[in-house]
Amino acid sequence: MLDGIKVIDFSHYLPGPFASLRLGDLGAEVVKIEPKTGDMMRKLTDDCIFEANNKNKKSIALDLKNAQDVQIAQQLIREADVVIESFRPGVMKRLRLSYENVYAFNPSIVYCSISGYGQHSRYASFGSHDLNYMALTGMLAQFKDESGRPVHPTITLADFIGSIHAVEQIIAALYARERTGKGRYIDLSLVDGLLSMMTNHIVLEHHTGQKNGIPILAGTVVSYHLYETKDGRYMALAALEAHFWRNFCDAVGKFEWYEGHLSAACDDNPLFLDMKQLFRTKTFQQWIAFSEQVDCCLTPVLETDEVKTQFANNAYRKMIHIDNDRMEVATRYDEHFFTKRTRAPKVNEHEHLLLTKESDRE
């Protein structure tokens, strides 16, 4: 879909690389600009996270404090459609690679700066990470234990949501360029992406004072709740519609529960106590078997290794591919996805492309 689009990616760690990974999976050519020592993510988690987020890319190593290497970067951008960078605000300007610098020789460029708080906000120069962005936007306050203490997440939501937000805006800018011939500068903040996901929560709080989103979706009713099984695992029941709830009640032989569909999930409610007891009568696997037979919006709460097994087979579109040491998680569904992806590059693996371009100019 993006065949013929060339992306020059100066970003490190996760938000930028995951964005350019998604663009590459859509067909764009992605050239990753790394320092001579490589993307800093290469040194973390035995290289596997770098590998996961940098497939389908070419690597060229440049020292952007060196004037000659800056000229090489400018030449690469001259022939590109998209630039992605995730340095702190002001860095690209000091390197003479800012949007204003680039626009002077490539006015059709779509230039995306990914930062925590935007280029010109009050917090623009603050150092922060995913946990900080989640905390500031109210997202972290949505994950609390029974005592009201925020639960530390193990997934970096700001990074991934910000990446998808970036891809959305880049593609929209490319579409606009097709109609107008003009490029665009995108000042993208990771906080912006999280705030947009908090729409329902913020609007509800403003009008009703309710701080945790739509109450019925927050585990407050018996038909939309997490239940513990006999062996200490959990099942997610989401039978919001009356017919799904009736299907569940019929299957467990509890017709008298019909009227309690949206009753409170609290220990003052006898039905809730009965529901908790019911789920403890079967094992996790027994409830999975039940969920596959009864149309009631019941699913298992899977661990990562179980997700890997589940989605690596053909039961659900095979979004995960495992072939010996090769592990691929798709960014979109495509029957031929895994034949198109290439491994992540080694540092400066594609330096020869620069030599080829130089000989072509001679």
Side-chain angles (χ1 to χ4, degrees):
M1 287 183 274
L2 292 180
D3 292 353
I5 296 296
K6 186 171 183 176
V7 179
I8 307 298
D9 181 10
F10 291 89
S11 65
H12 292 262
Y13 290 125
L14 280 175
F18 189 62
S20 60
L21 173 74
R22 299 181 74 87
L23 292 171
D25 285 342
L26 288 168
E29 177 189 359
V30 180
V31 178
K32 183 175 183 65
I33 306 300
E34 303 186 70
K36 302 292 186 178
T37 53
D39 184 331
M40 290 173 279
M41 184 56 79
R42 288 183 182 272
K43 300 173 184 177
L44 301 177
T45 61
D46 296 325
D47 203 34
C48 65
I49 301 302
F50 176 86
E51 177 73 24
N53 291 278
N54 289 281
K55 296 176 185 292
N56 271 9
K57 302 178 186 179
K58 299 179 174 70
S59 171
I60 292 177
L62 299 175
D63 176 4
L64 296 179
K65 295 180 181 179
N66 178 288
Q68 185 176 357
D69 280 10
V70 169
Q71 290 179 353
I72 293 172
Q74 291 173 340
Q75 185 57 43
L76 289 167
I77 295 171
R78 196 179 299 275
E79 302 168 1
D81 301 281
V82 177
V83 165
I84 298 175
E85 64 92 5
S86 61
F87 293 109
R88 284 202 192 192
V91 170
M92 289 297 269
K93 183 176 182 179
R94 291 199 298 273
L95 296 172
R96 303 186 304 284
L97 292 170
S98 68
Y99 175 67
E100 290 74 19
N101 296 130
V102 170
Y103 180 85
F105 59 80
N106 186 353
S108 66
I109 198 74
V110 172
Y111 191 115
C112 181
S113 293
I114 301 175
S115 64
Y117 304 104
Q119 299 296 302
H120 306 290
S121 77
R122 174 184 174 186
Y123 302 105
S125 63
F126 280 28
S128 294
H129 284 296
D130 205 274
L131 193 66
N132 305 119
Y133 308 135
M134 290 187 67
L136 281 174
T137 57
M139 181 74 74
L140 192 59
Q142 306 310 311
F143 301 89
K144 293 178 180 176
D145 61 21
E146 293 180 355
S147 70
R149 179 185 174 86
V151 175
H152 195 303
T154 62
I155 183 169
T156 54
L157 288 174
D159 289 343
F160 290 117
I161 291 170
S163 298
I164 295 170
H165 188 198
V167 171
E168 173 188 72
Q169 297 221 14
I170 289 168
I171 291 175
L174 288 171
Y175 175 70
R177 191 182 72 173
E178 287 296 305
R179 293 181 292 111
T180 66
K182 297 179 180 179
R184 185 159 305 193
Y185 180 67
I186 300 168
D187 175 3
L188 190 131
S189 156
L190 297 181
V191 165
D192 295 349
L194 285 185
L195 281 173
S196 71
M197 302 292 285
M198 288 290 292
T199 297
N200 292 343
H201 291 68
I202 293 169
V203 170
L204 271 173
E205 190 283 327
H206 183 75
H207 290 290
T208 70
Q210 169 64 40
K211 295 180 180 179
N212 299 110
I214 302 170
I216 202 173
L217 302 181
T220 61
V221 297
V222 297
S223 57
Y224 202 89
H225 202 78
L226 299 172
Y227 290 99
E228 187 176 1
T229 66
K230 184 178 182 178
D231 48 353
R233 298 295 302 274
Y234 288 87
M235 298 293 294
L237 178 65
L240 277 181
E241 291 82 2
H243 66 281
F244 288 130
W245 174 247
R246 284 176 174 261
N247 288 347
F248 175 79
C249 295
D250 290 348
V252 297
K254 296 291 184 179
F255 314 109
E256 67 274 19
W257 287 359
Y258 284 172
E259 297 303 316
H261 177 207
L262 299 179
S263 62
C266 64
D267 288 340
D268 293 336
N269 180 5
L271 173 53
F272 181 55
L273 297 177
D274 288 343
M275 285 284 289
K276 291 199 291 185
Q277 181 58 39
L278 172 67
F279 273 91
R280 292 193 191 105
T281 64
K282 297 180 186 294
T283 65
F284 187 59
Q285 290 300 323
Q286 287 173 324
W287 279 117
I288 291 176
F290 176 95
S291 72
E292 292 173 349
Q293 297 297 317
V294 181
D295 187 20
C296 63
C297 301
L298 181 67
T299 52
V301 178
L302 297 178
E303 297 291 342
T304 308
D305 57 335
E306 295 166 328
V307 172
K308 180 180 67 176
T309 301
Q310 171 92 349
F311 291 95
N313 62 42
N314 291 317
Y316 186 87
R317 296 155 64 93
K318 203 163 185 178
M319 288 286 285
I320 295 175
H321 180 90
I322 304 172
D323 184 9
N324 297 319
D325 291 337
R326 184 185 180 191
M327 157 61 71
E328 304 280 355
V329 181
T331 57
R332 64 187 182 89
Y333 176 67
D334 177 345
E335 290 181 355
H336 307 292
F337 185 87
F338 299 109
T339 63
K340 299 175 184 177
R341 259 199 183 177
T342 59
R343 62 168 178 79
K346 297 177 181 178
V347 178
N348 207 29
E349 181 176 340
H350 299 89
E351 181 186 24
H352 63 278
L353 297 179
L354 297 178
L355 301 176
T356 301
K357 289 180 182 296
E358 189 64 33
S359 63
D360 288 344
R361 284 194 290 272
E362 294 174 355

